Amino acid sequence: MAAFDISDWKDLFVASAGASAALAGLVFVAVSINIDRILKSAGLPERALQTVLLLLSVVLTSIIGLIPGQSRIALGAELLGEALLLGAIIEMLLIRSLPPRSAPRSWRLIRQVVVAAGTVPLIIGGASILAHGGGGLYWTVSGMIFAIAGAVANAWVLMVEILR
């Protein structure tokens, strides 16, 4: 079954590892260019780290998916552990970087949805692989896609919006 057979996903993991690593490098460049502004703005240093960690979660998920010869149980446990650890750190950074309650509620909600979309499916994917039920790697890939999309949105803020 494709949702649980890692061999069917190798090419996708190779591509996503390279793409997300390249994007993480670009985020480092964006942060270094705007470092003074980022450090002066409340919540932006945390948002910058959150962005890098979203991309790192995709890199690590992809690397875990490329480990040869591992069992489904090992794969599920590794993916779940990585997703829980990075998801918790990313959530902590989100809480520390949310706009003040006086800001429009939509700003807070959008940020929370972006982080949840990029972390929760990775957790569900790892658990689903362990349970050998549910969506398996389809959850994992959806989390990877949303993590990249969320990181790109955050990178836009760190590169462009900060200059407005």
Side-chain angles (χ1 to χ4, degrees):
M1 185 175 209
F4 304 100
D5 183 3
I6 195 67
S7 65
D8 293 339
W9 300 82
K10 295 288 185 188
D11 291 340
L12 181 125
F13 284 131
V14 168
S16 63
S20 53
L23 287 170
L26 291 174
V27 169
F28 273 105
V29 171
V31 169
S32 66
I33 289 170
N34 293 319
I35 191 70
D36 290 333
R37 285 188 171 98
I38 290 170
L39 292 175
K40 290 178 186 174
S41 299
L44 281 186
E46 292 87 356
R47 192 169 185 179
L49 181 54
Q50 180 187 80
T51 303
V52 171
L53 291 178
L54 281 169
L55 293 168
L56 179 63
S57 72
V58 177
V59 171
L60 293 176
T61 297
S62 299
I63 290 170
I64 290 168
L66 291 169
I67 297 171
Q70 65 183 331
S71 69
R72 177 189 54 80
I73 299 295
L75 174 67
E78 292 162 359
L79 290 175
L80 180 59
E82 178 261 333
L84 285 170
L85 176 64
L86 284 177
I89 295 168
I90 291 167
E91 177 66 23
M92 180 190 66
L93 291 167
L94 171 69
I95 291 167
R96 290 176 45 193
S97 69
L98 281 174
R101 298 234 183 251
S102 60
R105 187 173 179 189
S106 61
W107 293 1
R108 296 174 64 85
L109 184 60
I110 289 169
R111 296 271 313 284
Q112 291 168 325
V113 167
V114 164
V115 167
T119 56
V120 172
L122 295 173
I123 294 167
I124 294 171
S128 174
I129 292 165
L130 274 172
H132 203 250
L137 288 164
Y138 290 105
W139 278 106
T140 301
V141 170
S142 69
M144 292 165 60
I145 291 168
F146 285 121
I148 290 170
V152 168
N154 279 348
W156 180 261
V157 170
L158 296 168
M159 286 187 320
V160 176
E161 295 299 323
I162 195 170
L163 299 174
R164 291 185 186 205

